[in-house]
Amino acid sequence: GLLRYGIPDFKMEKSHIDRRVEQMKAEGVVFRTGVVVGAAKDTLGKGSKVTNLAKETVTPEQLQGEFDAVLLTGGAEQSRDLPAPGRDLDGIHFAMEFLPQQNRVNAGDKVKGQLRADGKHVIVIGGGDTGSDCVGTSNRHGAASVTQFELMPMPPEAENKPLVWPYWPYKLRTSSSHEEGCEREFAISTKEFIGEKGKVTGLKTAQVEFKDGKFVEVPGTEKIHKADLVLLAMGFVSPVSPVLEAFGIEKDARGNAKATVDFNGGYATNVPKVFAAGDMRRGQSLVVWAIREGRQAARAVDEFLMGFSDLPR
């Protein structure tokens, strides 16, 4: 789902997904799309994208009765919000409201009232991959300007290898979207969304620095930035689907499915026959982690069903 609708086509062509899906179908995998698991469609909220797209509803009892094991890998889709004054103004959207619409259009679907950046001054709040995808998509729409905000200070252009190895190197990362055109602001915090007649027209910001374990505002650095479209790309905090509640899955402190990762009953939840892996278990992460956990969870399920497994760890 995220590969197809969350990552722009200019970053990953969907032919790669199509090829792998066809391979998996040939191997015997049955794909059922447009299915809501765990809740009636009318309980998901007015305007819910799930409500609009779902074709059928399946209960946990049905799945547990029909299958010998269930593996939950629904992802961590709850976007991190920015509850600053003026948040309810029109023109402020989560990145995952913006990006999937363009992917659907690229695929030939009709999207009524598509969110577009044509001729607009766009501000993207969040300096990660999702923010970069918003930058590239906005540029392709023909935005008047694109500015990306990052709360953290600007990293060095080259990492201190002896200091960070073997961990993820801390250095400035410039994507192809940035190179296409984007102003980047670091160590900046949004204090307020400003608007007229119910629509966002700008942001009030201040520079910040990290002191005593928290970010504090630098006096005298307040500034107003013009904005017609604001995209919130600050990461994801937990699964949004009601599937965990419907199955009765115990959650960890961050709201993710609680499941062990050891090789003795690995990836099993508190509910018999039900396993969890990927972002739904570990929280927001990378595709490579999803692949790793998928393979390990497959082995755990195989061991559960067969008593042993020849699958690699």
Side-chain angles (χ1 to χ4, degrees):
L2 185 61
L3 291 178
R4 187 173 295 279
Y5 292 116
I7 298 175
D9 289 23
F10 63 79
K11 193 171 180 181
M12 191 190 76
E13 296 174 345
K14 306 315 173 192
S15 59
H16 300 297
I17 304 173
D18 297 335
R19 182 177 61 185
R20 182 51 61 95
V21 167
E22 289 305 314
Q23 175 188 327
M24 294 175 73
K25 284 182 178 179
E27 292 170 348
V29 177
V30 177
F31 290 89
R32 292 169 60 182
T33 59
V35 179
V36 175
V37 179
K41 290 190 286 183
D42 58 2
T43 68
L44 296 177
K46 184 178 180 181
S48 166
K49 64 179 181 180
V50 176
T51 302
N52 295 335
L53 298 174
K55 296 180 291 187
E56 62 175 307
T57 301
V58 175
T59 66
E61 291 75 20
Q62 287 175 287
L63 293 178
Q64 289 166 304
E66 186 177 353
F67 298 96
D68 297 310
V70 178
L71 176 59
L72 306 178
T73 60
E77 301 175 83
Q78 181 62 59
S79 300
R80 181 175 283 107
D81 206 347
L82 181 57
R87 172 64 179 85
D88 57 345
L89 291 166
D90 287 342
I92 304 171
H93 302 274
F94 289 118
M96 290 308 293
E97 294 177 76
F98 178 69
L99 295 173
Q101 290 189 359
Q102 185 58 51
N103 281 8
R104 292 186 182 280
V105 170
N106 290 348
D109 297 342
K110 294 185 182 299
V111 177
K112 185 178 180 180
Q114 181 192 0
L115 293 174
R116 292 193 58 89
D118 312 61
K120 296 179 180 178
H121 296 280
V122 180
I123 290 182
V124 179
I125 301 179
D129 289 337
T130 304
S132 173
D133 294 343
C134 289
V135 169
T137 302
S138 297
N139 280 329
R140 281 160 177 76
H141 283 182
S145 68
V146 183
T147 305
Q148 186 176 25
F149 287 176
E150 168 58 67
L151 183 66
M152 300 296 292
M154 183 175 177
E157 292 190 4
E159 73 272 28
N160 185 337
K161 290 184 179 180
L163 178 65
V164 300
W165 189 90
Y167 302 106
W168 182 252
Y170 180 65
K171 66 177 181 179
L172 181 65
R173 300 180 186 279
T174 300
S175 70
S176 58
S177 294
H178 295 138
E179 293 172 346
E180 291 167 356
C182 173
E183 293 293 327
R184 304 173 74 181
E185 298 272 357
F186 293 91
I188 190 170
S189 175
T190 300
K191 298 182 64 176
E192 180 181 354
F193 298 103
I194 301 170
E196 294 179 3
K197 299 179 180 179
K199 295 185 178 182
V200 68
T201 58
L203 279 71
K204 180 186 290 186
T205 67
Q207 297 297 128
V208 293
E209 56 185 355
F210 198 70
K211 283 185 176 181
D212 301 323
K214 62 181 180 181
F215 287 99
V216 296
E217 181 179 333
V218 178
T221 61
E222 276 196 2
K223 185 178 179 181
I224 303 295
H225 299 258
K226 181 176 177 58
D228 307 304
L229 175 63
V230 179
L231 300 172
L232 305 180
M234 301 175 294
F236 306 88
V237 293
S238 63
V240 296
S241 169
V243 65
L244 297 183
E245 289 83 358
F247 273 97
I249 304 297
E250 184 179 349
K251 300 179 184 178
D252 64 17
R254 297 184 297 164
N256 301 314
K258 188 174 181 180
T260 61
V261 293
D262 58 55
F263 293 111
N264 182 19
Y267 295 94
T269 69
N270 61 301
V271 179
K273 301 200 308 183
V274 181
F275 299 77
D279 285 10
M280 182 170 268
R281 187 202 69 80
R282 65 179 290 115
Q284 176 193 352
S285 190
L286 303 173
V287 171
V288 290
W289 269 110
I291 294 171
R292 180 178 189 268
E293 293 218 348
R295 288 173 172 169
Q296 290 186 338
R299 179 185 172 92
V301 173
D302 192 30
E303 287 181 329
F304 168 73
L305 295 174
M306 305 298 294
F308 69 96
S309 179
D310 292 328
L311 295 176
R313 293 182 186 276

